[in-house]
């Protein structure tokens, strides 16, 4: 009886309605699950690879409690895929502790590298043939040749009025000293085969207010060009150096009033003597630091160049005459002074081995010597510039950050994930062919 009742009930039940594409829908669901598993596996793999690097970068990016940061004791070369300042998604990187230059980047030519107080590494793209610029005292701006001012905290760039080569910043950081080239780029000749224009036309010295862009002429037509300039600590005087004479056959030092440009004195010096750089004035403003050498000058072969013997001297800031207090450097070659540590030790960039692979470090030299290395660099580094506020504070010996592999542009992420995405697609297509 019960069996008959069950059969009758079964006959009265409506038949199950199955979609016509039931098999297709099931296969599609299974494919979606497999793709999800593949994507999850890729994400997990990337996290496994990323977490150690992110942790190491976080450790390197620690900033002291005062927020000031410090000059790293060592820097490294950037990764091939390192992001440029402001490049998405890495961002700008923040104020720089220092900037250096190297051709060991994806551009295969001289490229600026900004190392932030946060431990970030960002590239500063250089145009072909572009020289080195200046880093402002707070590390926020980098002024490129051509007077383009790059904001290292946002990646924005603005053009300062005029053109020229940035030389030095005023002690208060408000004005930029610029050498404006007046040379005629194309020489034209008259019927008598005598040039109608002057390829050695003297240059002008201009100060630009970085806030307002206002320009004022400090000196007009004094030197053929300006190779070095230094502002006195009190901001009242400017010392400059440049070539004189047709063909740049001589060298001249000059000190002038920073506001009026009135010359206080000028002195022609041999090619073996040169003002040390933007920090040529001693902290008391009474002397000028000079880098001098003994050896060949303009007709040097490699052996003669390497045989040069360098020394650090001081000149009277009131006359330019050497004071006879020289300190012989045991080896290497000084490049450019950038500041003073504790008002006593001269801080300058230095090539420890001119005969070897190009490399520039940062050192400090006390009154009695010897010099101490403040920033170690790998081979291929040149043109070190340090934020002036950190130089004055003596904030050296900071953490030595490594460039983060994740500070990369979007195209680098696309290239890195493309193999995994292709692998996932291959797995899906292979499953489909099996089905």
């Amino acid at each position: 009886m019960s069996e008959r009742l069950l059969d009758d009930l079964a006959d009265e039940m409506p038949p199950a309605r199955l979609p016509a594409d039931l098999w297709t829908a099931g296969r599609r669901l299974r494919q979606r699950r497999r793709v999800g598993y593949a994507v999850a596996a890729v994400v997990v793999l990337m996290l496994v690879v990323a977490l150690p690097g992110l942790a190491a970068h976080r450790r390197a990016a620690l900033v002291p409690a005062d927020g000031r940061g410090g000059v790293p004791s060592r820097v490294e070369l950037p990764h091939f895929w390192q992001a440029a300042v402001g490049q998405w998604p890495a961002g700008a990187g923040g104020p720089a502790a220092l900037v250096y230059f190297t051709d060991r980047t994806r551009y295969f030519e001289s490229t600026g590298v900004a190392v932030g107080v946060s431990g970030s590494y960002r590239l500063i793209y250089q145009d072909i043939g572009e020289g080195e610029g200046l880093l402002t005292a707070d590390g926020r701006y980098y002024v490129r040749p051509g007077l383009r001012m790059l904001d290292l905290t946002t990646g924005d760039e603005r053009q300062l009025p005029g053109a020229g080569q940035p030389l030095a910043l005023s002690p208060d950081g408000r004005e930029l000293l610029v050498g404006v080239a007046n040379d005629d780029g194309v020489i034209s000749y008259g019927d008598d085969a005598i040039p109608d224009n002057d390829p050695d036309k003297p240059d002008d010295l201009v100060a630009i207010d970085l806030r307002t862009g206002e320009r004022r002429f400090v000196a007009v037509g004094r030197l053929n060009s300006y190779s070095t300039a230094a502002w006195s600590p009190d901001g009242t005087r400017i010392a400059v150096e440049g070539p004189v004479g047709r063909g740049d056959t001589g060298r001249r030092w000059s000190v002038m009033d920073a506001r009026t440009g009135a010359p206080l004195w000028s002195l022609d010096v041999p090619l073996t003597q040169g003002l040390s750089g933007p920090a040529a004035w001693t902290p008391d403003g009474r002397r000028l630091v000079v880098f001098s050498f003994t050896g060949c000058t303009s007709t040097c072969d490699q052996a003669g160049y390497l045989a040069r013997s360098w020394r650090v001297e001081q000149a009277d800031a009131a006359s330019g005459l050497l004071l006879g207090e020289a300190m012989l450097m045991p080896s290497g070659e000084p490049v450019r002074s950038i500041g003073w540590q504790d008002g006593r030790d001269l801080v300058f960039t230095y090539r420890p081995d001119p005969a070897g692979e190009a490399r520039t470090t940062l050192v400090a030299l006390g009154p009695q010597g010897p010099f101490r290395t403040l920033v170690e660099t790998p081979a291929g580094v040149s043109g070190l510039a340090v934020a002036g506020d950190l130089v004055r504070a003596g904030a050296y010996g900071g953490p030595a950050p490594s460039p983060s592999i994740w500070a990369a542009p979007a195209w680098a992420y696309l290239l890195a994930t493309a193999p995994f995405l292709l692998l996932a697609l291959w797995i899906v297509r292979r499953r489909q062919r099996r089905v």
Side-chain angles (χ1 to χ4, degrees), residues 55 238 282:
I238 295 174
T282 56

Side-chain angles (χ1 to χ4, degrees), residues 5-362:
L5 179 60
L6 292 175
D7 291 339
D8 294 339
L9 291 175
D11 293 338
E12 293 176 2
M13 292 294 294
R17 296 180 181 180
L18 300 177
D21 61 344
L22 177 62
W23 175 257
T24 304
R27 185 173 63 178
R28 187 161 52 245
L29 179 60
R30 186 169 62 175
Q31 290 174 354
R32 289 175 180 172
R33 287 177 177 174
R34 287 173 177 168
V35 172
Y37 295 151
V39 172
V42 170
V43 172
V44 171
L45 180 61
M46 293 183 66
L47 287 176
V48 170
V49 175
L51 287 177
L54 289 174
H57 179 65
R58 176 60 182 166
R59 287 194 300 270
L62 294 178
V63 178
D66 59 7
R68 183 185 64 190
V71 181
S73 58
R74 187 185 71 253
V75 296
E76 301 177 11
L77 294 175
H79 296 297
F80 184 79
W81 58 85
Q82 206 77 53
V85 173
Q87 194 167 27
W88 188 85
L98 61 84
V99 170
Y100 67 84
F101 294 83
T102 180
D103 59 1
R104 301 185 183 186
T105 67
R106 62 176 176 271
Y107 300 116
F108 299 107
E109 59 187 26
S110 182
T111 306
V113 181
V115 182
V117 294
S118 64
S120 61
Y121 280 68
R122 297 292 187 272
L123 301 183
I124 302 174
Y125 174 73
Q126 303 283 101
D127 294 331
I128 296 177
E130 181 177 338
E132 300 171 3
L134 286 179
L135 182 66
T136 57
D138 58 3
R140 178 172 180 176
Y141 297 101
Y142 172 73
V143 185
R144 302 173 59 175
L147 304 187
R148 288 175 292 172
M149 196 167 179
L150 178 62
D151 191 332
L152 301 179
T153 64
T154 64
D156 297 332
E157 190 174 65
R158 68 183 178 97
Q159 178 69 50
L160 295 174
Q165 174 63 37
L167 297 171
L169 289 161
S170 61
D172 58 10
R174 294 183 177 182
E175 288 189 303
L176 172 69
L177 203 60
V178 176
V180 179
N182 292 324
D183 300 343
D184 295 319
V186 178
I187 308 304
S188 60
Y189 295 85
D191 296 335
D192 53 2
I194 297 177
D196 292 334
N197 42 20
D198 185 4
D200 297 323
K201 186 182 298 181
D203 289 359
D204 300 331
L205 196 64
V206 175
I208 300 177
D209 191 307
L210 294 180
R211 299 167 301 173
T212 65
E214 182 181 355
R215 291 162 51 92
R216 64 178 181 87
F217 282 85
V218 178
V220 178
R222 295 276 179 84
L223 300 175
N224 285 0
S225 63
Y226 293 91
S227 56
T228 304
W231 225 300
S232 66
D234 59 4
T236 62
R237 293 167 293 170
I238 295 174
V240 296
E241 177 189 313
V244 293
R246 185 171 294 276
D248 296 345
T249 54
R251 177 175 291 178
R252 178 174 296 166
W253 298 344
S254 181
V255 171
M256 65 189 74
D257 186 280
R259 299 305 304 178
T260 66
L264 303 179
W265 58 264
S266 294
L267 181 67
D268 290 349
V269 297
L271 297 176
T272 56
Q273 299 174 1
L275 295 179
S276 61
W281 294 84
T282 56
D284 59 8
R286 299 172 58 185
R287 299 183 179 187
L288 293 169
V289 177
V290 178
F291 290 154
S292 305
F293 66 89
T294 300
C296 63
T297 55
S298 58
T299 58
C300 291
D301 56 13
Q302 185 177 12
Y305 173 75
L306 297 178
R308 286 177 173 177
S309 176
W310 286 89
R311 60 189 180 274
V312 179
E313 300 183 275
Q314 293 189 9
D316 182 9
S319 64
L321 299 178
L322 295 179
L323 298 176
E325 301 175 6
M327 183 172 294
L328 185 66
M329 302 193 67
S331 62
E333 176 184 349
V335 181
R336 186 175 65 168
S337 61
I338 65 170
W340 294 81
Q341 184 178 17
D342 301 327
R344 183 178 62 93
D345 297 350
L346 178 67
V347 178
F348 59 96
T349 54
Y350 169 74
R351 295 190 186 105
D353 184 14
E357 200 167 9
R359 182 168 71 97
T360 303
T361 63
L362 189 70

